[in-house]
Amino acid sequence: MFRRANAQDIAAIAAIYNDIHSMEETGPRQVGWIRSIYPTEETACAAVEAGEMYVLEKEGKVVAAGKINKEQMPAYAEVNWQYDAADEQVMVLHTLVVSAKERGKGYGREFVAEYEAMAISCGCPVLRIDTNAINTTARNMYKKLGYREAGIIPCVFCGIPNVDLVCLEKRLLPSETI
């Protein structure tokens, strides 16, 4: 079940963040996040309070989460987007995470499909996502799902210095609707 997250989901989301941080620190996974900087439990709390955090739940357990809104990162202004659209026509997915215990089951793809359906229902034909250039797992998944890498912008990302931010886009509807 895909749904808006609530306060009871924060611990599960934070646990997913912590598992990813642990994998980052021990070497088998490269995402580019730093524990205590981004993402944190406070990251999840703020998104839940804003009504922008969504979860994918299987058998009563949160297996994936992400923040969905229309807020584009400041670095997006430097990108040469193929699909030019007004801000209100752009839906953005931030910080998609899948539980380490549930990897390889297609939950990331399922979450992105729900994000795309939400964008259509909100009248947002242009989708944007970003990820760290070192996160090859995410980059490969987004490519397979039809997202185009529009640019790589060096920046400080949510307090993390020296990030090469890969900005991706996808158009869902014909260009005449933009």
Side-chain angles (χ1 to χ4, degrees):
M1 167 195 299
F2 179 80
R3 62 175 173 77
R4 189 181 309 265
N6 59 52
Q8 290 74 33
D9 298 315
I10 293 171
I13 297 166
I16 294 171
Y17 293 165
N18 285 329
D19 287 347
I20 293 170
H21 287 306
S22 293
M23 288 190 305
E24 183 85 8
E25 292 160 357
T26 58
R29 184 113 190 258
Q30 292 295 309
V31 177
W33 292 344
I34 300 174
R35 189 185 302 274
S36 301
I37 295 180
Y38 185 83
T40 64
E41 184 171 333
E42 292 75 26
T43 305
C45 285
V48 168
E49 288 174 15
E52 299 174 342
M53 181 65 78
Y54 291 82
V55 295
L56 183 62
E57 185 179 80
K58 297 293 179 182
E59 299 176 7
K61 182 177 171 186
V62 172
V63 297
K67 180 178 172 180
I68 301 173
N69 61 27
K70 294 182 181 183
E71 294 177 25
Q72 299 181 63
M73 298 294 296
Y76 285 19
E78 300 177 42
V79 176
N80 184 22
W81 299 104
Q82 179 177 350
Y83 307 120
D84 190 29
D87 289 346
E88 63 270 8
Q89 295 179 304
V90 178
M91 186 76 68
V92 184
L93 172 58
H94 309 269
T95 319
L96 172 60
V97 293
V98 176
S99 169
K101 299 168 186 83
E102 303 293 337
R103 289 181 62 206
K105 297 181 180 178
Y107 295 143
R109 289 186 304 277
E110 186 175 343
F111 193 98
V112 172
E114 294 287 355
Y115 157 62
E116 292 178 359
M118 176 187 287
I120 289 170
S121 70
C122 292
C124 295
V126 174
L127 302 175
R128 294 189 177 151
I129 302 173
D130 60 70
T131 192
N132 193 314
I134 66 172
N135 190 347
T136 56
T137 301
R139 290 175 77 180
N140 289 334
M141 180 185 77
Y142 294 137
K143 181 178 181 179
K144 288 177 185 174
L145 296 176
Y147 287 80
R148 173 189 163 275
E149 291 190 5
I152 300 177
I153 307 299
C155 67
V156 174
F157 178 82
C158 296
I160 301 173
N162 304 315
V163 171
D164 287 328
L165 191 68
V166 178
C167 299
L168 303 105
E169 66 181 338
K170 182 176 182 178
R171 184 178 61 206
L172 295 175
L173 302 174
S175 60
E176 54 270 10
T177 65
I178 296 178

